[in-house]
């Protein structure tokens, strides 16, 4: 055991700079001679640009330049290409209409960037942007995905008839039809999974610096971006500017929350990179919150019809899902993948469902593009499944807890091949489910419900189970679904003469504490204190290969790469230790004793320590024949399967029918994330994920005017986020009994769990509370106004 | 717009800055004095990332003009820690999962400092209420609330 190693609740090593105000986020970085940028954005949901007059803006104090899409076209800057080209039915790939970083001719959502203003100060740039005159010809817009899919809907792109991006299918139809034909019970649900906005607290920000002489750091262009994926940004920018990939350097310094939304390529990155090359001055752009609401990618926005077939005993026979998913005005980086490959892959959830067939129509709408936001496709799938299960319980009269127990995939059935493709390696769903019921004191719920009723309050108990495709990798699978990149990750370890280690990974930490947890893996394996390990991430100039941090992948993929690179280091170190000890290599044992590594001749007290070996191999005074100096190894991990994180979520709500205000009394998450590296960090991830799931269920909703496409919820004053006094404390536990079988650490991703399960568990609790009062059809978010109205309507109906 | 000379004390140091009348206090702190611990998160006073203390009162510095702070004593997150160390509140944030990405952290530290100055023995509900002007998207607040309660206890013990 290592006192600071795997499993130890080590305090976060990164905290000190954040606690003292010394974090370095993009907006904190000041470059010599920098100019400031502001964007002119479309006020219309759909409009043709007849012309742009920059005269007044150019005359505005401090304004240095104004650029439009035409200027970028003249320089042949390439389009914003999605990372995934999703294969649709009948061998057709998705429609991928060109998307330009600055509009060329037509804007298709409120907030689309149409011009860049560069000025000496930020306020001068913002003032200049006000003075750019755009001659707009407004066009009819289609905003709601159910409208956009209709035949007579306004069309967004000539390349995409019917506003169809892609029609995607998964599973096999015939067995599902057959299951429904022989079913004793059939249930169906109509679901709106509403649009939400991530709202990381740090608004996006970009700095770009370039010079023809490559003066700054030898790169043609260097970009600092508040991104989770510097390597993807390097790829996109180099392709758009037609530069060699290694001529572009992308640095992601401290990033103030990512949640998937910052894991994508945005127009501002390429616009600033291009303009910095034209002006040969560093350019900086920091998003305002109001432009973040109309330019950060949104999420969810599904309309789904789903049906479940059951036999007489309540065993699931078949599942049929039909979903309309809004991709927004354009296909963004991962936008088309989320509602297709990602969503449909987890439609079996924790249940044994012999036949599943899903069809998704990803559809263009005159809104901000949607893309991955924490959970990304998995919350939508969990919600569909859990709603069907609860509906089935209601319709068949089988208790909802019992119905789930009858249908969970038992631990003995693992590995389990689902009918939608994935094979789960491990998972003991029933065990975690029962544990959540114990932690939530389900047995005592009727008494608490009765007690609350005495005070005129209504209680409900909710439960949900999710399975998450985490540890996003297998490049092989990504390739099958049209990815334009590999999804492995890298670790490069360099050992100094004093035995200290520098580890470089292609991931990025924006709250996940990689500088603590990654070294914990390495410290355990090598046998050094954490203080001897430094981690470098988020800089393509120092870490040449990487994929980034999203999809609960960092520890699974980069952590495993660290483990593998450490193995290579130990192989060489053992050889040298044998040489130093004049023993046979086979007799050398590497052991970690009280956290310190040593190489010992087995069965003797003859040994050399890790620092001694490190010094010997780096000084290279006496190496065995053929051995190169220094310990420096790298590894690339690309697993054979995703990891299948899963968990039970339970909660209890209390509604005041007089006001419609709902209080969450308790929230329980029991997670299987395989091996836990740092329980304190895991708690933080789990809590945060639950909070964001509760956010969607209780408070958050992106509301567009269905006709005009204006976003009503465009600030923190009208888009409600969870706050300290609207959330409960959480009870969270992990169950380590089912480690992952296809990575060396046994870990599964842990970043998204509660965000996936909470919308379903909260909805379960709300319906449990209100259905006895005749309330039906109540949907998220459960705002006081909506709940109060639903209760009043039910009362009126009962009276009539 | 005419430039204004603004004299104020920041973290115990007398500062003199020449700035346009429209300069916000948060911009003066960040851009003129390079105290970038104070964050901009919304510019409408709803996220709390820019919270500072002005003459002992908790203020959202994105809603205050710099000229309004003339002659005042301002404390930012950079002024919380004793030289080379961490304050008891900062130590408790580290020990109880009070932060993840760190962006909201300065604002929460200021809000918690203001709370504990006023009420050294708050209940959990009082802590939650006192922090409801600040947004955190990472922690779900549980760690922050635990940190503040632990700090209150620690400070009372001193």
């Amino acid at each position: 055991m290592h006192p600071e190693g795997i499993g130890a609740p080590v305090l976060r090593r990164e905290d000190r700079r954040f606690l003292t105000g010394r974090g370095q986020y993009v907006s904190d970085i000041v470059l010599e001679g920098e100019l400031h940028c502001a964007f002119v954005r479309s006020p219309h949901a759909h409009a043709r640009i007849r012309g742009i007059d920059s005269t007044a803006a150019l005359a505005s104090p401090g304004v240095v330049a104004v650029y439009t899409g035409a200027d970028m076209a003249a320089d042949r800057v390439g389009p914003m290409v999605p990372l995934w080209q999703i294969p649709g039915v009948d061998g057709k790939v998705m429609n991928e209409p060109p998307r330009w970083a600055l509009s060329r001719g037509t804007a298709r959502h409120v907030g689309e960037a149409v011009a860049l203003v560069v000025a000496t100060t930020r306020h001068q740039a913002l003032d200049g942007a006000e003075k750019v005159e755009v001659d707009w010809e407004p066009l009819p817009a289609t905003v709601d995905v159910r409208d956009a899919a209709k035949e007579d809907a306004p069309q967004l792109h000539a390349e995409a008839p019917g506003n169809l991006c892609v029609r995607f299918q998964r599973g096999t139809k015939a067995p599902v039809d057959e299951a429904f034909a022989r079913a004793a019970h059939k249930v169906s649900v109509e679901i709106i999974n509403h649009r939400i906005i991530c709202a990381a607290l740090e608004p996006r920000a970009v700095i770009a610096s370039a010079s023809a002489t490559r003066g700054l750091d030898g790169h043609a262009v260097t970009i600092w971006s508040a991104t989770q994926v510097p390597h993807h940004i390097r790829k996109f920018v180099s392709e758009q500017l037609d530069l060699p990939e290694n001529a572009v350097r992308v640095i992601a310094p401290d990033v103030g929350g990512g949640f998937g939304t910052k894991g994508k390529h945005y127009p501002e990155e390429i616009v600033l990179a291009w303009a910095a090359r034209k002006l040969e001055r560093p350019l900086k752009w920091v998003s305002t919150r109001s432009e973040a609401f109309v330019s950060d990618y949104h999420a969810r926005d599904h309309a789904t019809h789903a049906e479940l077939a059951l036999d007489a005993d309540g065993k699931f026979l078949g599942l049929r899902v039909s979903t309309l998913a809004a991709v927004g005005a354009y296909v963004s980086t991962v936008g088309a993948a989320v509602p297709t490959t990602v969503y449909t892959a987890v439609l079996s959830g924790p249940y044994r469902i012999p036949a599943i067939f899903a069809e998704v129509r990803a559809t263009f709408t005159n809104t901000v593009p949607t893309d991955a936001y924490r959970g990304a496709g998995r919350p939508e799938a969990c919600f569909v499944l859990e709603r069907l299960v609860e509906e089935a319980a209601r319709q068949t009269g089988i208790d909802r807890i019992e119905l789930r127990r009858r249908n969970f995939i038992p631990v003995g059935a693992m590995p389990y091949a689902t009918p939608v493709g994935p094979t789960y390696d491990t998972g003991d769903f029933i065990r975690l489910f029962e544990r959540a019921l114990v932690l939530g004191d389900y047995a005592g719920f009727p008494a608490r419900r009765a007690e609350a009723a005495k005070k005129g309050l209504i209680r409900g108990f909710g439960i949900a189970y999710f399975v998450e495709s985490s540890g996003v990798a297998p490049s092989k699978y990504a390739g099958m679904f049209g990815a334009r990149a590999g999804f492995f990750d890298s670790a490069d370890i360099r050992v100094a003469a004093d035995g200290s280690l520098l580890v470089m990974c292609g991931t990025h930490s924006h709250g996940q504490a990689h500088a603590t947890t990654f070294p914990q893996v390495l410290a355990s394996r090598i046998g050094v204190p954490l203080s001897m390990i430094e981690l470098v991430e988020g800089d393509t100039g120092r870490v040449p290969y990487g994929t980034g941090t999203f999809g609960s992948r960092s520890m699974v993929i980069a952590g495993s790469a660290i483990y593998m690179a450490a193995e290579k280091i130990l192989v060489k170190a053992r050889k040298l230790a044998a040489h130093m000890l004049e023993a046979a290599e086979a007799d050398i044992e590497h052991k970690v004793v009280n956290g310190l590594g040593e190489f010992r001749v087995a069965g003797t007290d003859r040994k050399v320590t890790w620092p001694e070996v490190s010094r010997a191999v780096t000084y290279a005074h006496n190496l065995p024949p053929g051995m190169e100096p220094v310990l420096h190894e790298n590894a690339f991990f690309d697993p054979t399967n995703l990891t299948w994180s899963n968990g039970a979520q339970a909660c209890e709500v209390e509604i005041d029918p007089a006001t419609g205000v709902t209080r969450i009394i308790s929230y329980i998450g029991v997670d299987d994330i395989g091996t836990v590296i740092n329980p304190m960090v895991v708690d933080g991830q789990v809590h945060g994920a639950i909070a964001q799931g509760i956010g969607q269920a209780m408070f958050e909703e992106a509301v567009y005017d269905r006709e005009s496409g204006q976003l009503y919820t465009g600030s923190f004053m009208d888009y409600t986020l969870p706050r300290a006094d609207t959330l409960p404390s959480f009870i969270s536990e992990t169950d380590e009994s089912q480690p992952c079988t296809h990575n060396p650490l046994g870990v599964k991703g842990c970043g998204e769990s509660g965000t996936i399960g909470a919308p379903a568990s909260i909805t379960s609790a709300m319906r449990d509370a209100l259905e006895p009062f005749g309330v039906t059809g109540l949907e998220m978010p459960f705002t006081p106004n909506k709940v109060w109205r639903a209760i009043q309507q039910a009362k009126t109906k009962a009276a009539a | 717009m005419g430039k204004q000379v603004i004299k104020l004390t920041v973290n115990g140091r007398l500062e003199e800055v020449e700035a346009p009348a429209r300069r916000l206090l948060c911009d003066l702190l960040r851009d003129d004095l390079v105290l970038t611990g104070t964050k901009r998160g919304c510019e409408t006073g709803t996220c709390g990332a820019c919270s500072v203390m002005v003459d002992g009162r908790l203020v959202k510095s994105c809603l205050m003009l710099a000229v309004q702070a003339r002659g005042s004593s301002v404390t930012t997150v950079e002024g919380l820690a004793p030289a080379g160390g961490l304050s008891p509140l900062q130590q408790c944030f580290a020990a109880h999962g009070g932060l993840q990405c760190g962006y909201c952290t300065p604002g929460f530290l200021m809000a918690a400092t203001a709370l504990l100055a006023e009420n050294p023995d708050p209940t959990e509900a009082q802590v939650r209420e006192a922090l409801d002007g600040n947004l955190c998207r990472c922690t779900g607040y549980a760690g922050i609330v635990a940190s503040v309660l632990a700090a209150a206890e620690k400070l009372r013990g001193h």
Side-chain angles (χ1 to χ4, degrees):
Chain A
M1 270 300 286
H2 190 299
E4 299 176 312
I6 291 174
V10 180
L11 295 192
R12 290 163 30 113
R13 301 169 78 207
E14 41 274 272
D15 281 355
R16 208 179 173 85
R17 72 175 185 277
F18 296 133
L19 287 165
T20 53
R22 267 123 187 145
Q24 279 283 293
Y25 304 86
V26 173
S27 63
D28 300 332
I29 295 166
V30 177
L31 296 190
E32 186 73 27
E34 71 181 13
L35 297 172
H36 296 262
C37 296
F39 284 86
V40 178
R41 295 181 184 276
S42 173
H44 299 289
H46 196 191
R48 198 165 291 129
I49 300 167
R50 290 203 199 97
I52 298 176
D53 184 354
S54 309
T55 318
L58 283 165
S60 186
V63 171
V64 173
V66 177
Y67 296 121
T68 68
D71 298 312
M72 294 186 81
D75 283 358
R76 298 176 189 279
V77 179
M80 303 283 297
V81 174
L83 188 65
W84 296 74
Q85 187 182 45
I86 301 300
V89 292
D90 310 327
K92 282 188 202 156
V93 295
M94 71 181 194
N95 283 319
E96 209 178 320
R99 175 188 181 203
W100 305 106
L102 293 177
S103 310
R104 298 184 188 177
T106 304
R108 296 180 177 84
H109 70 86
V110 170
E112 181 172 330
V114 297
L116 170 74
V117 176
V118 183
T120 307
T121 72
R122 184 170 185 240
H123 286 290
Q124 286 170 339
L126 290 166
D127 289 347
E130 297 272 313
K131 292 175 186 159
V132 173
E133 286 185 27
V134 184
D135 183 5
W136 294 106
E137 179 191 340
L139 300 171
T142 185
V143 177
D144 188 290
V145 69
R146 292 162 295 178
D147 298 339
K150 286 181 186 152
E151 260 178 35
D152 56 350
Q155 301 291 296
L156 271 80
H157 301 279
E159 300 86 347
N163 292 322
L164 183 70
C165 170
V166 65
R167 190 155 74 94
F168 178 88
Q169 292 178 344
R170 195 142 176 176
T172 321
K173 194 165 177 297
V176 175
D177 292 343
E178 193 245 325
F180 274 87
R182 67 188 164 90
H185 305 282
K186 296 172 209 170
V187 298
S188 70
V189 290
E190 298 289 337
I191 290 171
I192 297 294
N193 198 307
H194 62 283
R195 177 177 283 248
I196 50 175
I197 298 171
C198 164
L201 206 60
E202 179 209 19
R204 287 188 296 114
V206 180
I207 298 173
S209 173
S211 90
T213 55
R214 299 191 168 195
L216 184 75
D217 59 359
H219 290 80
V221 56
T222 301
I223 299 165
W224 288 259
S225 181
T227 185
Q228 306 168 219
V229 289
H231 298 83
H232 283 170
I233 304 310
R234 176 180 65 175
K235 163 193 156 70
F236 289 125
V237 167
S238 71
E239 286 171 358
Q240 287 176 281
L241 293 180
D242 197 20
L243 285 169
E245 198 164 326
N246 280 310
V248 176
R249 181 180 183 189
V250 179
I251 300 168
D254 286 331
V255 172
F259 313 117
T261 305
K262 284 184 187 154
K264 311 294 168 299
H265 182 33
Y266 282 92
E268 293 84 2
E269 286 157 328
I270 179 63
V271 175
L272 263 76
W274 163 77
R277 277 164 65 79
K278 281 184 99 69
L279 292 168
E280 295 210 27
R281 291 278 295 273
L283 301 183
K284 179 189 276 179
W285 167 76
V286 181
S287 174
T288 65
R289 181 57 61 183
S290 38
E291 71 183 325
F293 271 100
V294 295
S295 68
D296 289 6
Y297 300 139
H298 294 179
R300 319 293 190 248
D301 204 351
H302 286 198
T304 295
H305 173 79
E307 299 163 89
L308 183 67
L310 301 89
D311 72 12
D313 296 330
K315 286 269 176 112
F316 301 160
L317 299 175
L319 171 68
R320 194 186 274 148
V321 177
S322 171
T323 293
L324 270 177
V327 294
Y330 304 96
V331 187
S332 65
T333 317
V334 188
V338 171
T340 56
T341 63
V342 182
Y343 166 67
T344 57
V346 287
L347 277 171
S348 191
Y351 305 114
R352 197 198 284 273
I353 310 175
I356 301 177
F357 179 70
E359 175 167 301
V360 179
R361 294 169 65 91
T363 302
F364 292 107
T365 53
N366 288 111
T367 61
V368 174
T370 58
D371 209 308
Y373 160 59
R374 205 171 196 170
R378 283 87 45 114
E380 296 93 314
C382 172
F383 196 69
V384 167
L385 210 47
E386 292 296 90
R387 284 288 299 277
L388 278 169
V389 171
E390 300 238 321
E391 185 58 29
R394 210 176 59 81
Q395 209 168 305
T396 60
I398 303 169
D399 175 73
R400 59 188 172 143
I401 306 289
E402 175 56 24
L403 186 60
R404 286 179 169 93
R405 284 180 181 137
R406 284 186 201 173
N407 286 283
F408 279 129
I409 301 161
V411 66
M414 297 291 168
Y416 177 81
T418 69
V420 276
T423 296
Y424 304 156
D425 61 330
T426 54
D428 192 346
F429 308 144
I430 292 166
R431 176 184 158 109
L432 273 67
F433 181 76
E434 300 295 347
R435 182 64 186 152
L437 292 175
V438 169
L439 289 173
D441 186 24
Y442 183 60
F445 175 68
R448 294 194 298 279
R449 171 180 259 177
E451 196 57 35
K454 282 185 201 160
K455 292 181 257 171
L457 303 170
I458 307 170
R459 283 217 178 188
F461 190 93
I463 185 90
Y465 207 101
F466 70 88
V467 174
E468 177 199 352
S469 48
S470 58
V472 170
S475 300
K476 181 177 69 174
Y477 295 147
M480 279 162 49
F481 289 109
R484 290 164 166 149
F487 278 76
F488 58 85
D489 230 299
S490 68
D492 183 300
I493 300 175
R494 299 165 193 206
V495 182
D498 61 357
S500 66
L501 298 106
L502 179 66
V503 54
M504 301 161 109
C505 291
T507 40
H508 182 268
S509 188
H510 29 277
Q512 297 91 336
H514 293 177
T516 307
T517 58
F518 285 9
Q520 283 185 266
V521 171
L522 190 54
S524 290
R525 195 66 201 97
I526 300 283
V528 292
L530 286 189
S531 60
M532 293 285 277
I533 303 173
E534 297 299 328
L535 173 70
V536 171
E537 291 180 300
D539 181 349
T540 65
R542 297 185 70 187
V543 188
Y545 299 100
T547 299
T549 286
F550 54 88
S552 302
R553 70 187 299 278
S554 298
M555 183 54 76
V556 177
I557 312 299
S560 296
I562 290 170
Y563 184 94
M564 288 163 57
E567 289 304 301
K568 293 184 187 175
I569 295 242
L570 287 174
V571 166
K572 183 167 173 183
R574 196 179 280 117
K575 270 198 182 89
L576 181 62
H579 179 72
M580 291 166 78
L581 292 164
E582 296 177 337
E585 198 187 324
D587 293 339
I588 301 293
E589 293 176 339
H590 170 252
K591 276 190 175 169
V592 178
V593 181
N594 297 323
L596 299 174
E598 59 181 39
F599 300 87
R600 188 183 286 270
V601 181
T604 75
D605 59 359
R606 293 173 56 229
K607 63 171 186 180
V608 284
T609 64
W610 168 256
E612 286 165 349
V613 172
S614 302
R615 188 166 52 244
V617 74
T618 310
Y619 286 7
H621 294 169
N622 176 17
L623 298 182
M627 181 178 279
E628 293 176 18
V630 311
L631 292 171
H632 174 198
E633 299 287 351
N634 57 33
F636 299 88
F637 184 63
D638 198 345
T640 53
N641 193 353
L642 291 143
T643 60
W644 300 99
S645 316
N646 61 88
Q649 307 257 303
C651 62
E652 195 163 321
V653 299
E654 187 175 85
I655 301 162
D656 182 347
T659 60
V661 170
T662 303
R663 204 159 63 90
I664 301 168
I665 302 294
S666 64
Y667 202 99
I668 291 101
V670 182
D671 283 277
D672 167 10
I673 53 163
T675 307
V676 171
I677 305 297
N678 182 326
M680 186 179 160
V681 170
V682 165
D683 262 347
Q685 288 292 307
V686 168
H687 291 176
I690 291 171
Q692 291 190 332
I694 292 176
Q696 176 174 22
M698 297 299 300
F699 311 109
E700 301 176 39
E701 184 174 20
V703 182
Y704 273 104
D705 183 281
R706 198 161 171 172
E707 298 298 317
S708 71
Q710 294 296 330
L711 183 68
Y712 288 142
T713 50
S715 81
F716 284 153
M717 287 181 284
D718 26 45
Y719 187 87
T720 312
L721 291 170
R723 289 181 184 262
D725 57 353
T726 54
L727 287 181
S729 297
F730 311 114
I731 299 168
S732 60
E733 263 189 25
T734 51
D735 182 315
E736 295 188 67
S737 69
Q738 306 293 319
C740 176
T741 56
H742 47 264
N743 66 61
L745 300 172
V747 292
K748 305 176 184 178
C750 92
E752 298 169 87
S753 64
T755 311
I756 299 169
S761 70
I762 295 273
T763 302
S764 164
M766 293 300 288
R767 290 185 166 235
D768 181 51
L770 293 172
E771 270 174 11
F773 295 85
V775 174
T776 52
L778 188 64
E779 298 289 350
M780 304 187 290
F782 303 109
T783 59
N785 182 6
K786 202 191 260 183
V787 171
W788 184 84
R789 278 172 194 278
I791 294 170
Q792 298 311 310
Q793 274 165 14
K795 273 188 190 165
T796 314
K797 215 156 100 188
Chain B
M1 238 177 297
K3 292 230 171 183
Q4 304 280 322
V5 175
I6 303 164
K7 285 188 196 173
L8 74 176
T9 305
V10 180
N11 300 331
R13 268 182 51 169
L14 196 64
E15 304 279 2
E16 187 177 321
V17 177
E18 199 183 284
R22 79 179 190 183
R23 178 73 38 98
L24 296 171
L25 178 58
C26 68
D27 292 346
L28 178 119
L29 294 169
R30 288 181 51 81
D31 302 339
D32 296 296
L33 300 177
V34 201
L35 292 168
T36 55
T38 300
K39 297 300 180 201
R40 281 188 287 247
C42 70
E43 298 125 10
T44 51
T46 39
C47 82
C50 66
S51 301
V52 298
M53 302 283 269
V54 178
D55 295 330
R57 276 188 321 121
L58 185 66
V59 162
K60 286 174 175 166
S61 64
C62 76
L63 294 186
M64 190 177 194
L65 291 168
V67 290
Q68 292 176 287
R70 224 178 228 160
S72 293
S73 176
V74 177
T75 306
T76 70
V77 67
E78 289 91 345
L80 289 182
L86 293 176
S87 73
L89 179 67
Q90 289 167 320
Q91 288 166 22
C92 288
F93 265 66
H96 296 272
L99 67 157
Q100 288 180 30
C101 82
Y103 198 81
C104 72
T105 309
F108 272 97
L109 288 169
M110 300 314 294
T113 300
L115 166 70
L116 296 180
E118 202 173 284
N119 179 0
D121 191 8
T123 63
E124 179 181 330
Q126 286 170 331
V127 170
R128 287 184 177 273
E129 197 187 328
L131 299 179
D132 88 340
N134 295 65
L135 285 174
C136 168
R137 293 294 283 148
C138 295
T139 63
Y141 305 100
I144 298 175
V145 173
S147 302
V148 176
L149 288 169
E153 196 179 330
K154 196 168 185 175
L155 288 163
R156 286 197 307 276
H158 278 215

